[in-house]
Amino acid sequence: MKAYYACLDTGFVKYCPQPLQHLAIGDKAKKLDGDVSFYTMEDFETLATQGIAKGKIEEKPAVSGIIYFTVRQFFYGGSFDLKFMRFILDKGYEVHFAREDISIPTAESLDELFPMLYSAQHLLERDEPRDSWRPVWDWVETHQHQESAS
Amino acid sequence: MDTSKFAEKGYDIVAAGNPDKLAELRAQIHRKARELAGDGEDDPEEFMNNFHRLELRGPELNKLRMELIKYVSDNLDVAQTIYEAFSGYLTELVGPDIVVQKTTNLVIQQPGDPDQVPTHRDAPLNSPFEVVVWIPLVSVYGTKGMYVLDRKNTDVSLQMLKNPESGYEDQTRFATEQGDILSMPFGHALFFWPGLVHAVGVNTEQETRWALNIRYKNLFAPSGAKGQAEFFEVLRLSPLARLALEYEKGAYA
């Protein structure tokens, strides 16, 4: 049986609490004939960079891949973080998403799914009322302003 | 391609430009359904129309339906087939860069079955930029079909919901009385805007209704509450979009 890291969405805990995110990720692991061996989640301060997930991958864990709660976790930096997704795949790990039921096991599948991921990020940025996401976006905007000022 | 009725009323019934695609799809669904049921006619339309005579009820019926939906989802490329059958009309409505609902719904409504979808509209939960394609696998007429309120009557019915006491009951009654009953032979599809109020009543005819429904929209049109990546997958891209997305991919790396 395959083992996976679960990576919960810190920015969405208010709307989908951790136990529900665990259920969704566990269900995705079962669809992949696997199980979750460990879970992690970012701090608010690392949402945009996925610093904690990156640190875990650098440890070269004995898992087949990472199951995220949602693709939105790759959007917190203000655009789709294609570079980090490629980094994970280049390290030999699969990337999966529970909420969207999407699997990206290889660089080729990432190429195939790029139009969907790109358009999803653009629609979210353009159309979703910030009020529904305020705690996260307020933090991200503040953070971005601080970065551009420094 | 004439979409004037769709623009005015919010819906239209359209004959397939490529009906053979629909016939093959129905034949595949029929073969699997007959295998699962273990009985029934050789002819797809006869089998589906007379499905209630097999007297499958309750959990037995639900099991067959779930297995059939799984078969359809896993083995038949319904979204592509429906696109090929109606490509001209669909492209006219949503453009050349198309995303489609990931799963196709299959509904089997036997005569007298009291379990029915309530009066409702799909948008604003779904995106108002989608088009719903409803494809009966048998000829539909009277209560074997569905009814829909056009744009004008939808607006009237939505005003009724402002009455907290009887709003929903009033709307349902209005929809039943004023809704356009949709009759069409197999080989046609109903295209409707998701903001229209629609419903099905109890099927009081002597035949079972089988119908598919699925939603299409433009790649960059708003996705509604259901979410772009959650609800849709890419069906086709124009040469320009392919070029631009390749360019963007390079810029992101």
Side-chain angles (χ1 to χ4, degrees), chain A residues 71 79-80 82 86 99-100 102 111 114-116 118-123 126-127, chain B residues 99 102 217 219-223 228-230 232-234 237 245 248-249 252-253:
Chain A
V71 297
S79 60
F80 169 48
L82 177 65
R86 278 188 173 146
R99 178 171 164 157
E100 296 83 6
I102 285 176
D111 276 346
F114 179 76
M116 174 50 68
Y118 176 89
S119 61
Q121 191 275 327
H122 274 259
L123 296 192
R126 187 188 69 190
D127 300 334
Chain B
V99 293
K102 286 181 180 180
K217 78 168 185 74
L219 176 68
F220 287 107
S223 59
Q228 176 86 337
E230 290 91 327
F232 296 103
E233 60 190 4
V234 173
L237 297 171
L245 286 162
E248 286 290 271
K249 200 193 298 173
Y252 271 58

Side-chain angles (χ1 to χ4, degrees), chain A residues 62-95:
Chain A
V63 295
S64 298
I66 302 178
I67 306 177
Y68 286 87
F69 176 64
T70 170
V71 297
R72 292 176 185 220
Q73 289 165 261
F74 282 76
F75 300 164
Y76 285 127
S79 60
F80 169 48
D81 198 346
L82 177 65
K83 198 170 179 180
F84 184 59
M85 199 177 284
R86 278 188 173 146
F87 167 81
I88 300 171
L89 294 168
D90 287 347
K91 291 285 183 185
Y93 297 107
E94 304 164 2
V95 180

Side-chain angles (χ1 to χ4, degrees), chain B residues 49-50 52-53 111 141 203-208:
Chain B
N49 275 333
N50 297 318
H52 55 283
R53 292 186 183 160
Y141 53 87
N203 176 3
T204 60
E205 315 302 335
Q206 299 303 307
E207 295 176 335
T208 299

Side-chain angles (χ1 to χ4, degrees), chain B residues 142-212:
Chain B
T143 58
K144 190 184 171 195
M146 64 178 282
Y147 52 86
V148 62
L149 294 178
D150 65 13
R151 288 174 60 196
K152 193 176 155 195
N153 276 333
T154 287
D155 288 345
V156 173
S157 83
L158 292 176
Q159 291 299 315
M160 294 172 178
L161 293 178
K162 290 181 178 170
N163 179 348
E165 299 298 323
S166 63
Y168 183 70
E169 288 81 1
D170 293 344
Q171 186 199 44
T172 298
R173 194 178 312 111
F174 180 78
T176 309
E177 290 169 3
Q178 300 297 322
D180 297 336
I181 294 171
L182 305 168
S183 301
M184 69 190 96
F186 173 68
H188 290 63
L190 167 70
F191 286 72
F192 69 98
W193 179 62
L196 296 187
V197 170
H198 58 281
V200 293
V202 174
N203 176 3
T204 60
E205 315 302 335
Q206 299 303 307
E207 295 176 335
T208 299
R209 167 167 56 82
W210 291 57
L212 302 167

